[in-house]
Amino acid sequence: MREGGKVLRRLGLAAVVALAASAAAAQTHQFSTDQRNLACGSPTSLNDGWPTATPESVGLDGPRLCGIAARLAATNANVHAVVIVRRGKLVFEQYFNGPDELWGTARGPFEFDATTKHDMRSVSKSVTSLLVGIAIDRELIKSVDDPILKFFPDYSALKTAGWDNITLRHLLTMTSGMQWDQNRPWADLQNDERQLSMDADPFRYVLSKPIVAPPDTVWNYNSGGTDLLGNVIERVSGKSLEAFAGEALFAPLGISDWEWMKYRNEHISSAAGLRLRPRDAAKIGQLVLNKGAWGGREIVSAKWVEQSVTPRFQAIGYFGGLFYYGQQWWMGRTLSGDKDVKWIAAQGLGGQRIFIIPELDLVMVTTSGLYGSPRQGSAALDILANFIVPYIRDNAR
């Protein structure tokens, strides 16, 4: 028995050692699993108003989403963030390092995470449109059919033929007929957007441009019109654009860490200067998806959102191809297998995207550093077509 007791004690010790080793392995496995889950997009809790969930709980394919990183690396997409929201819940966010620009100045490689602000560039235009809508909701502006010169009496001496017929709506839809060319290289002095950023009085610069086509007949991408809209908001509200945006839009959305950059001439860039955290940009998308509401509160009227995202003109997108334009918002569609889904988007130079897909109750945001590249934005469309749309499982609740 004594010898048997020794054997039992030895077996017991071995069992304890084995159990401890098994527990350690399990803990290591759990740690590795947690790390993998974190690495492939588990949302970080920042107490910023976003409820979080797993992709599977909202009908998305988590393992498939985990393949996004490899695809981006293989294609040298220089994407800095991918954020996905479904059914009002943040279910995926992943950040990547890479070179970037801060308001036109190269920097990097840079480390991005959930708390890093990013240039949103012309996504700013869509946000400015929301602010115009709020100003109309508050009756600071009567309607989009108000003539633009009504708001600029101090520039009346500049008036040339055709300007009397230009309304806020024409600026919102980019169909004013104004002579404007910002498709030239940035270094080209004939690039109107460059001149807008450098002129001592950018509003005078825009208002002095000739009208060369009847309004509502030709769509032409135009940051100058958006800058006029931003200044209209300042004039009717008696506040700077930053102050009005902070009080009327960002604070109700729980967005506290943001910037709106200025040109070299110290005038705010309504058309391109906004910097946001990607998960805060997703709140803008969710606001539009919710038809102007956030957390049960109306921030901008459903009527304005509907007007803004109604296709009005055919337009050429940043990523090529023909799409539709509303009031500073883009519309298009993604074909994936037998699925054809329509989307609404805010687009910014370099690959900044907010995609809103109402029929899938989904918002996706990407940020990227492909400024000047013809590939900008292609990664976002690839993610939609090959990692999200085909793998929707709507029976998951």
Side-chain angles (χ1 to χ4, degrees):
M1 288 293 297
R2 189 180 303 170
E3 189 65 30
K6 290 180 180 178
V7 171
L8 288 174
R9 284 196 296 273
R10 282 198 296 272
L11 288 174
L13 180 60
V16 169
V17 171
L19 183 62
S22 176
Q27 186 176 18
T28 300
H29 174 73
Q30 181 62 46
F31 177 76
S32 299
T33 300
D34 290 345
Q35 288 297 95
R36 284 199 300 273
N37 287 341
L38 182 62
C40 73
S42 294
T44 301
S45 179
L46 294 181
N47 297 316
D48 60 352
W50 271 124
T52 60
T54 64
E56 287 74 14
S57 71
V58 296
L60 296 177
D61 187 331
R64 181 63 182 173
L65 295 179
C66 286
I68 290 173
R71 175 68 69 89
L72 296 177
T75 56
N76 295 316
N78 194 22
V79 167
H80 303 147
V82 178
V83 175
I84 301 171
V85 175
R86 192 166 197 230
R87 298 181 189 150
K89 296 178 180 179
L90 179 64
V91 298
F92 184 91
E93 63 173 350
Q94 196 164 13
Y95 300 91
F96 309 91
N97 300 341
D100 192 26
E101 291 182 7
L102 173 59
W103 194 223
T105 302
R107 61 173 182 169
F110 197 77
E111 296 183 4
F112 295 94
D113 61 29
T115 64
T116 310
K117 293 189 294 296
H118 199 284
D119 276 14
M120 298 308 298
R121 300 301 176 95
S122 287
V123 169
S124 311
K125 293 178 171 68
S126 302
V127 174
T128 297
S129 175
L130 291 173
L131 296 175
V132 171
I134 293 171
I136 290 175
D137 291 340
R138 294 183 177 186
E139 299 183 348
L140 299 175
I141 297 171
K142 183 179 178 181
S143 81
V144 292
D145 293 317
D146 280 356
I148 186 64
L149 293 184
K150 166 185 174 180
F151 303 96
F152 292 91
D154 44 329
Y155 291 93
S156 59
L158 290 177
K159 187 175 68 175
T160 56
W163 270 101
D164 279 332
N165 299 321
I166 309 305
T167 66
L168 298 181
R169 178 168 53 84
H170 298 133
L171 299 184
L172 285 161
T173 58
M174 298 197 179
T175 59
S176 66
M178 184 194 314
Q179 185 181 83
W180 192 269
D181 183 358
Q182 63 183 70
N183 294 318
R184 297 169 179 267
W186 184 256
D188 189 332
L189 293 180
Q190 300 302 310
N191 183 317
D192 281 309
E193 188 177 26
R194 175 187 169 95
Q195 292 301 110
L196 178 71
S197 72
M198 299 178 67
D199 199 281
D201 188 340
F203 312 120
R204 176 178 292 273
Y205 180 80
V206 178
L207 291 167
S208 66
K209 302 294 288 185
I211 302 300
V212 294
D216 269 342
T217 60
V218 178
W219 184 88
N220 183 35
Y221 198 69
N222 185 330
S223 292
T226 309
D227 275 18
L228 290 183
L229 292 170
N231 192 238
V232 167
I233 292 169
E234 294 183 322
R235 287 168 178 252
V236 300
S237 69
K239 300 178 180 179
S240 68
L241 186 66
E242 304 104 301
F244 186 80
E247 173 266 317
L249 182 62
F250 296 142
L253 289 175
I255 298 174
S256 58
D257 187 13
W258 58 279
E259 296 175 273
W260 211 316
M261 306 297 287
K262 296 180 178 180
Y263 294 126
R264 295 178 185 175
N265 54 23
E266 290 302 308
H267 287 277
I268 193 166
S269 173
S270 307
L274 188 59
R275 287 173 52 78
L276 291 171
R277 297 178 179 182
R279 57 193 286 158
D280 285 337
K283 291 182 177 181
I284 300 295
Q286 190 67 36
L287 178 71
V288 171
L289 184 62
N290 291 348
K291 298 181 179 179
W294 174 265
R297 172 186 173 186
E298 182 182 274
I299 296 176
V300 59
S301 67
K303 179 181 178 181
W304 179 259
V305 172
E306 182 180 359
Q307 289 176 353
S308 297
V309 302
T310 296
R312 298 181 185 276
F313 290 90
Q314 207 164 51
I316 298 176
Y318 274 115
F319 36 73
L322 292 175
F323 299 95
Y324 294 99
Y325 204 73
Q327 292 182 166
Q328 311 275 291
W329 289 89
W330 300 82
M331 276 65 67
R333 64 202 305 175
T334 288
L335 301 174
S336 182
D338 61 351
K339 296 182 178 179
D340 176 6
V341 296
K342 295 179 180 179
W343 46 254
I344 301 158
Q347 297 188 67
L349 183 72
Q352 326 320 322
R353 302 288 185 268
I354 303 175
F355 278 104
I356 303 149
I357 306 179
E359 67 187 270
L360 298 182
D361 197 359
L362 185 139
V363 172
M364 184 185 76
V365 169
T366 63
T367 58
S368 177
L370 292 180
Y371 308 97
S373 168
R375 295 190 299 119
Q376 58 179 285
S378 60
L381 289 173
D382 178 40
I383 292 169
L384 280 179
N386 294 302
F387 293 86
I388 296 178
V389 173
Y391 298 93
I392 295 284
R393 300 293 180 264
D394 281 324
N395 60 340
R397 295 287 174 185

